[in-house]
Amino acid sequence: MSANSLMYAPWLQSDYLPQPGHAPESFGYHLLQTAKSEAKVAIIGMHPAWADQVRDCLYGHFWDHGDLQVADLGNLRKPSVDFAIPLLKELYVSGILPVLIGASPLLAEAQYLAFAEVNREVGICSIDSKLRLSYEAAAEGDRRFLDRAVHRTNSPAFHLAHLGDQRHLSDPRLDLLFLSRHFERYPLGKSRSDLRDLEPAIRDVDLTVLNINAVLAAEAPSQSEIAPSGFSLQEAGQLAYYAGNSDRLASFGIYGAQPIGQNQPDRLTAAAYAQLIWYFLHGVSRRHADFPTTATGLVEYVVDSKVNDRFVFWRSPRSDRWWVQVPIDKATGEVRNRLVSCSYADYVAASSAGELPERLFHAFSRY
């Protein structure tokens, strides 16, 4: 099934009027020439007025995404989680990757709750300046964006990777929660030390939620929560590229803007959104179609182990990316979760010491 504007009409409205005169090499011109029925990526505004400001910036960028089929399906008629879930479910089932332009981060709940509707084990990557998660299940009025992903008893998240939180903005009790659930957490300092170390964690999830609060306020000033520290926009763009380049990733959203009605800060923040979306799509257009699209052609490497009979690593010659196989005696969970994304450095560490790096140890412990 392909993107069809009539099919999604109950949820979406297309009332954005692009500025006239887009050059043939522009992003906007390409979108206007792409038939919605052929699209494999769908841009959707979760908060209409803000999404349209982002479109004003995005449409003017150059197109450098090859033959990637992208459609702008319009804006959500009703900005609510329950209203968005059936739409996202239809997109997931249809194999269409939604790119969501939002403001309130709570709407991002729809991204992972829609996976539960299709009975998928879901891995989540959250890029944010703080952990929007309660230590224990919170009352409805106090709910945070990740609460239902982690604390719900029905279809909780299989995995959570959190990047960029600042220690002084996050509840220290969450360290214990992450440890007990074998989740991954990369605070801002660790995240920025080498962005390449974050690529396997991003590649190992089904959806990414990027909160603009993770970016320096100087580069995206119309944020819901201003903080002086954060990723540079260039660094955030690299993370967005990693997310797009993952063959596993099936949903991407940006949230956290709070327009203040002042032209320059709002336009700068909208431009930041547009830049992040552009680099995400740049990654999508350069996917390698390796695991989990197919395991055919992966090269096997067997490593003797001190804690297990052996570790089996796999490398893709197409992308030079690595995975390690979970050593379990019986099939449990989804097959795609039994190969854990890793790096060449992880393979070298396991080969030389016969022991797994901490990240892979926690990944295996989820079984």
Side-chain angles (χ1 to χ4, degrees):
M1 188 183 299
S2 55
N4 184 303
S5 56
L6 292 177
M7 175 184 298
Y8 304 118
W11 297 286
L12 299 169
Q13 55 189 10
S14 300
D15 51 7
Y16 173 69
L17 297 176
Q19 298 175 2
H22 286 298
E25 63 272 17
S26 71
F27 191 98
Y29 183 88
H30 184 91
L31 284 190
L32 296 173
Q33 300 302 312
T34 301
K36 289 183 172 63
S37 60
E38 299 175 357
K40 292 300 180 184
V41 180
I43 296 173
I44 296 171
M46 302 292 274
H47 295 86
W50 175 246
D52 287 350
Q53 289 189 58
V54 175
R55 289 182 174 99
D56 286 342
C57 299
L58 180 62
Y59 274 47
H61 290 346
F62 281 95
W63 179 264
D64 188 21
H65 308 312
D67 58 1
L68 182 66
Q69 298 297 305
V70 183
D72 190 339
L73 296 187
N75 295 320
L76 206 62
R77 290 182 180 275
K78 181 181 178 183
S80 75
V81 172
D82 291 339
F83 188 80
I85 288 174
L87 167 64
L88 295 178
K89 175 185 175 182
E90 288 293 331
L91 292 171
Y92 295 161
V93 170
S94 302
I96 298 167
L97 193 165
V99 177
L100 307 175
I101 307 173
S104 168
L106 200 58
L107 270 189
E109 288 182 335
Q111 284 183 254
Y112 62 76
L113 293 176
F115 273 102
E117 295 286 317
V118 294
N119 297 316
R120 289 251 317 256
E121 291 181 343
V122 62
I124 301 169
C125 175
S126 175
I127 305 172
D128 201 334
S129 62
K130 62 170 59 176
L131 279 163
R132 299 180 193 276
L133 174 64
S134 305
Y135 178 64
E136 298 174 334
E140 182 68 21
D142 298 324
R143 193 176 78 241
R144 300 176 186 175
F145 141 63
L146 288 169
D147 282 1
R148 287 209 275 181
V150 173
H151 294 304
R152 61 194 244 125
T153 55
N154 181 29
S155 302
F158 176 75
H159 180 47
L160 170 63
H162 199 284
L163 318 179
D165 74 279
Q166 300 175 41
R167 302 291 301 191
H168 60 285
L169 299 178
S170 300
D171 185 344
R173 296 178 299 171
L174 293 174
D175 289 338
L176 180 60
L177 176 61
F178 268 64
L179 186 63
S180 66
R181 297 286 292 272
H182 304 292
F183 292 159
E184 295 180 74
R185 181 181 181 184
Y186 300 87
L188 181 62
K190 185 176 181 180
S191 294
R192 297 190 65 206
S193 61
D194 192 339
L195 294 181
R196 292 172 296 181
D197 291 341
L198 304 178
E199 188 276 335
I202 296 173
R203 181 161 36 102
D204 225 18
V205 301
D206 302 285
L207 67 91
T208 293
V209 175
L210 197 163
N211 193 311
I212 201 66
N213 290 289
V215 175
L216 287 165
E219 297 185 335
S222 295
Q223 301 181 8
S224 58
E225 300 169 13
I226 297 293
S229 302
F231 290 111
S232 70
L233 188 60
Q234 182 179 7
E235 291 169 332
Q238 183 65 61
L239 301 181
Y241 178 88
Y242 286 152
N245 200 230
S246 168
D247 290 287
R248 172 170 175 161
L249 193 109
S251 183
F252 180 76
I254 307 181
Y255 305 85
Q258 184 171 298
I260 58 177
Q262 296 181 16
N263 186 49
Q264 179 129 359
D266 288 354
R267 283 184 58 80
L268 184 57
T269 307
Y273 264 64
Q275 183 171 321
L276 293 169
I277 292 170
W278 193 95
Y279 278 99
F280 171 78
L281 294 175
H282 200 54
V284 175
S285 70
R286 283 152 176 76
R287 287 184 174 184
H288 302 278
D290 48 25
F291 183 82
T293 303
T294 177
T296 303
L298 297 185
V299 180
E300 181 181 21
Y301 297 80
V302 180
V303 175
D304 291 332
S305 165
K306 296 178 181 178
V307 296
N308 198 64
D309 289 340
R310 62 179 189 171
F311 295 130
V312 179
F313 286 82
W314 299 86
R315 180 181 66 85
S316 168
R318 277 173 283 183
S319 63
D320 204 31
R321 296 189 293 198
W322 288 76
W323 293 263
V324 61
Q325 187 169 318
V326 178
I328 52 178
D329 296 328
K330 61 181 180 178
T332 124
E334 296 182 12
V335 173
R336 64 203 178 96
N337 287 328
R338 293 182 220 144
L339 282 185
V340 177
S341 302
C342 63
S343 65
Y344 174 66
D346 292 328
Y347 165 71
V348 171
S351 299
S352 59
E355 298 177 350
L356 283 177
E358 183 180 358
R359 174 180 175 268
L360 297 184
F361 171 80
H362 284 292
F364 285 9
S365 298
R366 290 197 286 274
Y367 286 85

